Amino acid sequence: MIARGVMLGADQPVILHMLDIPPAAEALNGVKMELVDAAFPLLKGVVATTDAVEACTGVNVAVMVGGFPRKEGMERKDVMSKNVSIYKSQASALELHAAPNCKVLVVANPANTNALILKEFAPSIPAKNITCLTRLDHNRALGQISEKLNVQVSDVKNVIIWGNHSSTQYPDVNHATVMTPSGEKPVRELVKDDAWLNGEFITTVQQRGAAIIKARKLSSALSAASAACDHIRDWVLGTPEGTWVSMGVYSDGSYNAPTGVIYSFPVTCKNGEWTIVQ
């Protein structure tokens, strides 16, 4: 997706830096071979390495997908202790070697906590440049509404994911709308089923990751990758006028969310900067 221009736009050349652990070095090299074989016009180079310093040197965008994988029956807190040491070392490499205004997106779970750990160990990276992925939950909410109303997902907008990328998040449709032939209409008005919106809809979005692990025996891959591309694209290139998206960002106390935690808010983006929708 990145090499095709899905993340940074169809006219932005990219050099991919791919980092993996030493036991996966051979498989990583196979991925590099495939990227070369795909002859992507935008792909100007590939660095495949097991060395964090080499991977982080000069990068403008860092998508942190590495972490101890969550398996069936595990909660995010179960992988937390294993991920502290991983994020400490990767943060140090970014701190010392990334481009000065590097944008960081943490995907690996527990995403909010991992982002906060990364922030603590990479103090020179601006706090506003360290984010975590709640766009996956945002997209899941859009998908549930589009299925319920049998409308195109592109016609649904402005759901909100509040809080943590975990089962404690709060998916909110109170400001969401659907474009209909007669104009934009509130989701609540169209669904006409508050019991579903206040119950099953929320739990489905909260538990969707676990449901996918149960079905696939592996955690979300395609949808997480797609959401990561959406998150970076909107952050770098801007959100459409009148539309907001959900991002896990360093809280400034908006909505009485405690300052100093990574928390998901509705945001708009312009000129590479996000702003919390007040």
Side-chain angles (χ1 to χ4, degrees):
M1 288 180 190
I2 298 169
R4 278 199 182 282
V6 174
M7 178 182 278
L8 292 166
D11 55 357
Q12 176 60 58
V14 291
I15 300 171
L16 276 178
H17 288 212
M18 305 188 300
L19 174 68
D20 213 328
I21 53 176
E26 198 177 350
L28 183 65
N29 200 46
V31 175
K32 179 178 178 175
M33 288 156 69
E34 284 215 87
L35 284 164
V36 171
D37 293 353
F40 294 111
L42 290 172
L43 189 60
K44 300 304 179 196
V46 181
V47 176
T49 182
T50 58
D51 177 56
V53 170
E54 187 184 7
C56 291
T57 299
V59 295
N60 300 102
V61 175
V63 182
M64 315 302 283
V65 292
F68 189 82
R70 177 178 161 214
K71 300 191 170 79
E72 194 168 354
M74 289 175 83
E75 278 292 322
R76 280 167 188 77
K77 63 178 181 287
D78 301 325
V79 296
M80 195 178 289
S81 57
K82 292 182 165 61
N83 280 325
V84 172
S85 59
I86 295 172
Y87 274 80
K88 193 172 167 180
S89 68
Q90 294 189 355
S92 304
L94 281 172
E95 163 82 3
L96 295 171
H97 304 286
N101 204 31
C102 178
K103 286 179 158 56
V104 183
L105 167 60
V106 175
V107 176
N109 281 317
N112 298 59
T113 309
N114 287 344
L116 194 65
I117 294 164
L118 192 143
K119 186 197 160 296
E120 291 301 312
F121 289 103
S124 72
I125 297 176
K128 68 181 190 332
N129 281 22
I130 296 173
T131 64
C132 81
L133 189 72
T134 56
R135 182 60 172 268
L136 177 53
D137 310 291
H138 182 100
N139 288 350
R140 285 167 172 166
L142 294 175
Q144 290 302 307
I145 297 297
S146 99
E147 286 204 319
K148 179 76 170 176
L149 292 172
N150 196 23
V151 296
Q152 294 295 316
V153 74
S154 55
D155 289 332
V156 188
K157 70 175 191 181
N158 294 356
V159 296
I160 301 169
I161 303 298
W162 298 101
N164 207 23
H165 170 64
S166 76
S167 52
T168 61
Q169 65 175 261
Y170 188 76
D172 173 5
V173 298
N174 292 313
H175 305 272
T177 61
V178 178
M179 182 53 78
T180 72
S182 54
E184 280 190 6
K185 295 278 165 59
V187 163
R188 274 205 187 269
E189 192 179 296
L190 293 172
V191 171
K192 296 188 181 69
D193 185 349
D194 280 351
W196 181 81
L197 282 173
N198 298 338
E200 191 185 331
F201 162 75
I202 290 173
T203 52
T204 298
V205 176
Q206 287 173 337
Q207 302 288 342
R208 186 69 160 188
I212 286 169
I213 291 173
K214 193 169 191 299
R216 275 192 2 113
K217 308 296 178 260
L218 295 162
S219 57
S220 311
L222 172 86
S223 54
S226 184
C229 287
D230 290 344
H231 174 113
I232 297 287
R233 185 188 64 244
D234 287 341
W235 189 5
V236 172
L237 301 177
T239 45
E241 193 65 38
T243 302
W244 60 67
V245 294
S246 301
M247 283 171 66
V249 299
Y250 195 61
S251 170
D252 63 357
S254 292
Y255 298 97
N256 294 326
T259 52
V261 297
I262 305 278
Y263 193 92
S264 181
F265 294 96
V267 303
T268 55
C269 304
K270 193 176 182 181
N271 301 327
E273 303 276 342
W274 53 265
T275 306
I276 295 172
V277 177
Q278 295 297 335

